[in-house]
């Protein structure tokens, strides 16, 4: 069993908790009809969960400005998610960056609900990887 520092465990747990908080915020924006903010918050939630998984797996603290592509590479190299899930992550990233240029009019509420359902399933998949691999043993 690996030993982990308190700092590493706290950062993993913080990233995990931030992912949930950002998804709550995303749902709030969805119900208010603020779809651009909804997608951006969902993207940040995915990034937080990926960061928690990566720190947990690599046993290394990541800098705040660690690139999103680096997180995706970690998941891709280890084949932790299937191709559909990886494509969804890339799509959410692209949507969050280029929302204004993609949508000339606001998407329908039903389309956004469908997207949020897929994102919830994705975050749950990433979270299950995180929980299966997480070790709470710390260095003394």
């Amino acid at each position: 069993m690996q030993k982990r520092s308190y700092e590493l465990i706290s950062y993993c747990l913080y990233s995990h908790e931030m992912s949930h908080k950002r998804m709550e915020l995303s749902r709030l924006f969805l119900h208010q009809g603020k779809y651009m903010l909804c997608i951006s918050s969902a993207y940040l939630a995915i990034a937080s969960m990926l960061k928690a998984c990566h720190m947990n797996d690599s046993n290394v603290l990541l800098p705040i400005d660690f690139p999103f592509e680096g997180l995706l590479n970690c998941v891709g190299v280890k084949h932790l998610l299937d191709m559909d899930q990886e494509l969804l992550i890339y799509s959410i990233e692209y949507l969050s960056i280029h929302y204004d240029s993609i949508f000339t009019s606001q998407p329908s509420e039903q389309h956004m609900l469908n997207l949020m359902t897929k994102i919830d399933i994705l975050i749950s998949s990433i979270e299950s990887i995180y929980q299966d691999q997480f070790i709470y043993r710390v260095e003394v």
Side-chain angles (χ1 to χ4, degrees):
M1 186 176 284
Q2 287 181 315
K3 290 185 178 182
R4 297 173 188 250
S5 69
Y6 287 110
E7 188 177 23
L8 179 66
I9 290 174
S10 66
Y11 274 97
C12 285
L13 293 174
Y14 172 77
S15 293
H16 181 259
E17 183 66 26
M18 283 306 298
S19 177
H20 286 285
K21 295 296 182 189
R22 288 175 173 152
M23 277 308 290
E24 288 176 23
L25 186 61
S26 185
R27 286 185 202 96
L28 181 66
F29 287 139
L30 174 68
H31 294 300
Q32 292 177 351
K34 298 178 180 179
Y35 298 151
M36 185 172 90
L37 295 172
C38 173
I39 291 172
S40 295
S41 295
Y43 164 71
L44 292 172
I46 293 168
S48 291
M49 192 61 75
L50 288 173
K51 193 170 190 177
C53 281
H54 184 71
M55 285 190 296
N56 179 59
D57 188 52
S58 67
N59 212 15
V60 174
L61 289 173
L62 297 177
I64 292 172
D65 59 347
F66 193 78
F68 187 72
E69 291 76 21
L71 296 172
L72 288 176
N73 286 340
C74 173
V75 172
V77 165
K78 297 184 183 239
H79 306 289
L80 298 175
L81 299 173
D82 63 32
M83 186 181 287
D84 289 339
Q85 291 171 320
E86 286 187 43
L87 288 173
L88 179 60
I89 292 172
Y90 281 111
S91 298
I92 297 302
E93 177 190 27
Y94 189 81
L95 274 175
S96 71
I97 295 168
H98 302 288
Y99 183 89
D100 289 333
S101 62
I102 292 173
F103 296 111
T104 55
S105 62
Q106 192 158 335
S108 71
E109 184 177 357
Q110 187 58 48
H111 285 125
M112 288 302 297
L113 286 171
N114 292 343
L115 179 62
M116 288 303 292
T117 300
K118 290 178 183 181
I119 293 171
D120 278 330
I121 292 168
L122 173 68
I123 294 239
S124 295
S125 296
I126 297 169
E127 185 175 25
S128 68
I129 294 165
Y130 168 80
Q131 289 177 340
D132 288 345
Q133 295 179 353
F134 199 70
I135 301 169
Y136 289 99
R137 188 168 180 194
V138 295
E139 293 176 1
V140 199

